[in-house]
Amino acid sequence: MSSLKEISLRRLLQAREMGVFTALVALIIVMGFASPYFLKPNNLFNVLRGMSTVGIMSIGMTMVIITGGIDLSVGSLLAVSGMFTARLLYHELPPMVALGGGFGIGLLLGTLNGLIITKIKVTPFITTLGMLSI
């Protein structure tokens, strides 16, 4: 049983992701020494909160890339959805209605991308590049 653990640990240490993890740990250590505020809980919370949007989008992008596709319009659709939500809030709609509207416009535009790619058979690169430009 211990040899199985040894093999698993050796495999983990040889994985290419280990290099990225090592760089992340080194960066955290350097930043911890460079700034007395970096490792404070409030700052770490702000960093994680700022990265949450990118993290959520990267999950969807991973699925697209695994299937052999590409989507260049993810960031612009996020911006359109966010701006639409903000405009609805500006016109004093309830926050939940504005949130639903933002999700709805994102869903609508993403569905439009998908329909153009699957039904009209336009290359995903061209379709999402066009949506990015729009």
Side-chain angles (χ1 to χ4, degrees), residues 16-81:
R16 66 177 175 204
E17 290 84 5
M18 195 63 186
V20 174
F21 180 71
T22 304
L24 175 65
V25 170
L27 189 60
I28 290 171
I29 291 170
V30 168
M31 291 305 296
F33 284 116
S35 171
Y37 305 106
F38 182 75
L39 292 176
K40 300 283 186 199
N42 200 22
N43 183 58
L44 294 176
F45 176 75
N46 286 335
V47 168
L48 292 175
R49 184 175 53 181
M51 291 185 57
S52 63
T53 305
V54 175
I56 291 169
M57 286 190 336
S58 67
I59 294 169
M61 284 301 298
T62 300
M63 299 303 150
V64 170
I65 291 170
I66 285 173
T67 60
I70 189 166
D71 190 349
L72 303 173
S73 64
V74 173
S76 60
L77 290 183
L78 173 73
V80 165
S81 299

Side-chain angles (χ1 to χ4, degrees), residues 78-95 97-99 101-102 105:
L78 173 73
V80 165
S81 299
M83 288 303 298
F84 188 73
T85 303
R87 292 296 292 174
L88 293 177
L89 288 170
Y90 178 76
H91 290 292
E92 298 180 1
L93 268 73
V97 172
L99 186 64
I105 196 76

Side-chain angles (χ1 to χ4, degrees), residues 83-133:
M83 288 303 298
F84 188 73
T85 303
R87 292 296 292 174
L88 293 177
L89 288 170
Y90 178 76
H91 290 292
E92 298 180 1
L93 268 73
M96 290 313 239
V97 172
L99 186 64
F103 281 137
I105 196 76
L107 179 66
L108 177 73
L109 294 174
T111 302
L112 181 63
N113 264 349
L115 288 174
I116 292 170
I117 292 167
T118 57
K119 300 297 183 194
I120 303 177
K121 305 284 188 215
V122 177
T123 309
F125 183 86
I126 300 299
T127 303
T128 58
L129 182 63
M131 187 63 76
L132 168 81
S133 299

